[in-house]
Amino acid sequence: MDLRQVAVDQYESRESLIRRGVWKGDLYKTVDVNKGSRGWLWKTLVLDDDQEVKELMPVPILTEGSEDPTSAIVQSANRPRDNLIRRLTPVATKAHPLSQKQIGDMRDKGELEGQKVVEGDEDDEDGMSVSEKLEIIDLDLSRLMLDKIFQEPLVHARMKQIMYNFLMRKGASSPSSYKQGYHEILGIIFLQLDEARRNNEGGNNDNSNNNNDDDDGDAVMMNQVLCIFEKIMKQMVGVFYNETRLIKWDSDVFQPILNNSCPELYKLIYSNQHHHTNIIWLIRWTRLLFIRELPRDYTLIIWDHILTFTYPLDTLIACIIVTLLVNNYQNLMEKIEDHNDIVEFMLHYSLNSSSMIDCVELCKMSGNLCELWYLQDFTAMKLVADSFLKIRFNVENKTTPKAVKIDPNRKRLEDRLRKRVKQTLLTKETK
Amino acid sequence: MFQFKLVLLGDSSVGKSSIVHRFVKDSFDDFRESTIGAAFLSQTIKIRDTSSDSTEDTVIKFEIWDTAGQERYKSLAPMYYRNANAALVVYDITQQDSLSKAQNWVNELKNKVGDEDLIICLLGNKLDLCDSSDNGDKRAVMTDEAKVYAEEQDLLFYEVSAKTGQGVKDVFQSIGEKLYQIKKEEMLSKKGRQAASAKDSVNVKLQRPSTNDPTSCCY
C-alpha cells in the first residue's frame, strides 16, 4: 500500500501519525515503509510545511595558499570531480596534537573523574584548515559503503556540497569542525530521500517547486536532506561528537538509567572500569545511531522514532541502548568476564546478540523508560526492565530449559575459574 | 597461551584497518569504511621457542585495537593504547608528510605510556604502489629515511602491503616473538625471586626457635 495514501486516510494530523503510526507501530502493520517511502515519511515528520528552500553554497576548490572560501574557485555539485586529484592523507596540521594547549585540554579531561567538566565547545578548535576539512570529507565520502550510489561522482559531489553547507551554517564565517561519522548520518538521510525521489514519491510534497525540472528537483532534495541532517545533528553534535560531553552524558544520563533499570547489568558493565572504558564502544553506538550495530531495516525504524523528536535524543538513545542491553541480559551475564569482553561484545553486537526484540517494542520500551526517567520514577524503571526480563526468561525457559536452571552469576564464575585453570595448565605446559 | 594487547595508530587512510584485516582474515577490500572510535579483532599465532628443548609451539593471542585516524587529536586516544603491549604506528609510504605524522604518534606513545617494555613498530604501508611498472613508482617516503629514524628511536621497522599481503604476517610474527621473549624473561625473573624468597623464609624458620618461641627449649 502507498504510504502517503495510508497516512492521509488514517492519520488526521502529523501528531496522529507520530503517536499512532510510528510510536504505536500501526504504520508498520499496513505499509512496507522500506520500499522507497521512508523519504516521504521523514520529510513529513521533520520538515516544516513552510520550509524555505535556500540555494546551497557551492564547494570552493582551494588552491595552495588560498584558504578563504569566498575568494576560491567553486565546484558545482552537478560537475563530476574527474579532474581533481584526491590526496589520501591530509596535509600536516597546523596545531601539533601535543601542543601545550592540547596537553592542557587532556589534563582537564583527565580530571573528569573528579566531576570537573569542561563545558567549552572543543568542536571549533580542531586546528584544521578549510582545505583539510574538505579533503577529509572527500576521503570519508569516498569510503562511504552504505550503498553503491555513493561511488557515483555526482552523488559524491552532492553529499560534499550538503556537508560543506552544513559546516558553513554551523560555523560563523568559516566551516565548523568536521568529524568522522557525520558523513554516515548524512548518507542515511540522503539515501532515503534520494530513493523516494527516484521512485517519484517525494517530489509532490514540495510547496516551493512543483515543476519537473531535474535540477530544481535535485536542489530541493538536497535542501531537504540538509534540513533533516541539521535537525538531527543539532542534538547529536553537542553531546555525542564532543568527547567531554560524551563522557558527561555517560556518567549523568546513560549510567544512571542503566543502574536504575537493571542494576545487575550496571554492575557487570561499570564495576572496576578504568578510565571510561565503555566510551570505546559508546562512541560508535551513539555517533552512528546504530548504523553499524543493527540490521539496516531495524535501524531505520529506530530512526523513524528518533525523527519524531518526541524525546530529547540523548535520553532516548541512552534508553534504547539500555533496552538492547537488557535484551541481551543472559548473553552478557554468561559471556562477560572483564571489560575487554564488554567492549568486544558491544563492538560486535550483531554477531553476539541473541534474538532481537521487535523494533517497535524496543522503541516503546525505550520511550517508556525516557518518561519514567523524567519523572524520576526509578522503581517503575526497574519494574519495566524486570518485567521484560521475566517475559524473556519465560520464553527462553520453554526452548532452552538448561539455560535458566543455572544461575547466570554462578555460571559466569564457574566459566571464569575454568578458563583460569586452563590458562595456568597451558602456561605450565609451555615451561 | 599468552595474550597481548596490540594497538594500531596512525593518520586517516594510511591503511590501519586493511593491515588488520589482511592479518586476521587474509582479505583486502579496495574500499573500506572509516573506523569510528575503534574496532576490535583478535588473532592467534604460534611461536617456536628456539632457545629451549621443547618442540611444542607456544600460542600467542593478539587482541588488536584498530583506532580511527581522527582520534589522534582527541583526549580519548590514550584510552586505546593504555595497557598495550605493542603498538603499530602506520604511515603511508606514498604520502610525503605521512612519516612526520607517524613520528608524532611515536612521540606521543613514548611520552604518555612510559612503559619501556612497550614494543613500537613503525610500519610503512602501500608497498604495492611502489616499484609498480604499470602506474609508476609512487613512493614518497624513502625506506632509508624511515629506517634511520626507527633505529634512532629503537623501533621495529617494516614496509608492507595490506593489498598484496607482502610482509604483513612477518610483522605480527616478529612482534609476537619479541613479546614472548619479554614474557619469558619476566617469568624467569619472577621464578628466581620466588625461589630466593622461599630460601629466605627457611632461614627465618631456622632462627625462630632461638629467639622468641615460647615452646622452644631455648626460651
Side-chain angles (χ1 to χ4, degrees), chain A residues 87-93 128 131-133 135-136 139, chain B residues 11-13 73 95 97-98 101:
Chain A
R87 207 162 27 181
L88 285 178
T89 309
V91 292
T93 54
M128 288 171 85
S131 60
E132 284 165 356
K133 279 172 194 165
E135 273 183 43
I136 196 107
L139 189 61
Chain B
D11 267 25
S12 287
S13 205
Y73 305 98
Q95 297 297 320
D97 58 341
S98 194
K101 291 188 201 173

Side-chain angles (χ1 to χ4, degrees), chain A residues 220-285:
Chain A
V220 170
M221 189 203 83
M222 286 167 69
N223 226 286
Q224 291 168 334
V225 171
L226 176 60
C227 289
I228 296 173
F229 184 58
E230 273 182 331
K231 284 202 178 178
I232 197 165
M233 293 308 274
K234 196 176 175 184
Q235 293 197 41
M236 284 182 71
V237 172
V239 184
F240 303 138
Y241 280 93
N242 178 313
E243 284 159 17
T244 311
R245 291 187 192 145
L246 180 67
I247 291 168
K248 191 170 158 51
W249 169 84
D250 174 43
S251 60
D252 293 355
V253 182
F254 180 65
Q255 287 187 43
I257 290 177
L258 179 62
N259 193 14
N260 282 300
S261 308
C262 190
E264 297 85 4
L265 278 179
Y266 173 79
K267 214 171 161 184
L268 179 76
I269 294 172
Y270 279 93
S271 63
N272 304 320
Q273 76 139 353
H274 301 292
H275 307 283
H276 313 293
T277 316
N278 290 304
I279 294 292
I280 294 175
W281 60 269
L282 280 169
I283 284 182
R284 202 172 76 193
W285 277 65

Side-chain angles (χ1 to χ4, degrees), chain A residues 330 334 392-408 411:
Chain A
Q330 246 185 334
E334 285 170 13
R392 282 281 295 166
F393 283 137
N394 284 342
V395 169
E396 290 194 354
N397 214 2
K398 289 172 193 167
T399 51
T400 53
K402 276 184 186 173
V404 186
K405 273 183 187 172
I406 305 167
D407 174 23
K411 191 174 184 308

Side-chain angles (χ1 to χ4, degrees), chain A residues 86-93 95-98 102-103 105-106 109 122 125-126 128 136 139-140 142-146 151 178-181 183-184 243 246-247 274-277 279-280 283-284 287-288 292 340 343-344 347-348 419 423 426-427 429-431, chain B residues 1-3 5 11-14 31-42 49 52 54 56-59 61 63 65 68-80 82-83 92 94-95 97-98 100-101 104 107-108 111-112 126 129 180 187 191:
Chain A
R86 182 165 67 85
R87 207 162 27 181
L88 285 178
T89 309
V91 292
T93 54
H96 191 284
L98 298 176
Q102 293 277 346
I103 290 168
D105 286 351
M106 287 173 186
K109 283 155 198 166
E122 66 195 30
E125 297 169 7
D126 62 0
M128 288 171 85
I136 196 107
L139 189 61
D140 281 344
S142 68
R143 298 199 288 169
L144 192 51
M145 312 297 284
L146 293 170
Q151 300 309 316
Y178 165 80
K179 290 194 182 173
Q180 287 180 319
H183 66 302
E184 290 200 36
E243 284 159 17
L246 180 67
I247 291 168
H274 301 292
H275 307 283
H276 313 293
T277 316
I279 294 292
I280 294 175
I283 284 182
R284 202 172 76 193
R287 288 187 181 179
L288 299 185
R292 293 206 194 161
N340 276 349
V343 177
E344 186 177 1
L347 286 178
H348 298 110
K419 199 175 171 182
Q423 272 182 349
L426 278 168
T427 314
E429 277 174 18
T430 57
K431 283 180 188 174
Chain B
M1 183 169 70
F2 294 107
Q3 199 161 299
K5 178 177 173 180
D11 267 25
S12 287
S13 205
V14 295
F31 294 100
R32 181 167 291 287
E33 56 199 2
S34 322
T35 305
I36 307 294
F40 178 88
L41 286 151
S42 59
D49 188 350
S52 77
S54 169
E56 279 190 27
D57 291 332
T58 301
V59 178
K61 184 182 178 187
E63 284 190 338
W65 292 89
Q70 228 189 13
E71 293 302 324
R72 166 190 172 175
Y73 305 98
K74 302 302 167 193
S75 56
L76 294 181
M79 202 166 57
Y80 302 120
R82 185 171 291 121
N83 299 327
D92 178 353
T94 68
Q95 297 297 320
D97 58 341
S98 194
S100 64
K101 291 188 201 173
N104 287 340
N107 291 339
E108 173 151 355
N111 289 336
K112 298 277 169 58
K126 307 193 186 179
L129 295 176
Y180 176 65
M187 282 163 66
K191 215 174 166 182

Side-chain angles (χ1 to χ4, degrees), chain A residues 274-312:
Chain A
H274 301 292
H275 307 283
H276 313 293
T277 316
N278 290 304
I279 294 292
I280 294 175
W281 60 269
L282 280 169
I283 284 182
R284 202 172 76 193
W285 277 65
T286 55
R287 288 187 181 179
L288 299 185
L289 296 179
F290 316 108
I291 297 171
R292 293 206 194 161
E293 325 306 333
L294 305 170
R296 177 72 59 83
D297 290 351
Y298 197 91
T299 308
L300 290 175
I301 294 176
I302 296 178
W303 279 49
D304 293 344
H305 289 75
I306 288 170
L307 290 172
T308 63
F309 298 109
T310 306
Y311 305 103

Side-chain angles (χ1 to χ4, degrees), chain B residues 5-17 19-20 64-67 69 72 81 84-93 97-111 113 118-126 141 146-147 149-150 153-160 171-172 175:
Chain B
K5 178 177 173 180
L6 186 147
V7 63
L8 277 97
L9 304 163
D11 267 25
S12 287
S13 205
V14 295
K16 298 181 290 298
S17 303
I19 289 169
V20 177
I64 305 168
W65 292 89
D66 174 21
T67 65
R72 166 190 172 175
Y81 52 72
N85 301 99
L88 288 184
V89 179
V90 185
Y91 70 95
D92 178 353
I93 60 176
D97 58 341
S98 194
L99 179 62
S100 64
K101 291 188 201 173
Q103 289 170 345
N104 287 340
W105 270 115
V106 172
N107 291 339
E108 173 151 355
L109 279 170
K110 291 198 165 184
N111 289 336
V113 177
L118 175 74
I119 293 171
I120 305 176
C121 179
L122 183 67
L123 201 58
N125 188 29
K126 307 193 186 179
V141 180
K147 204 174 177 181
Y149 170 74
Q153 298 291 321
D154 198 21
L155 317 175
L156 292 177
F157 170 68
Y158 286 90
E159 285 187 339
V160 300
V171 173
F172 289 90
I175 291 173

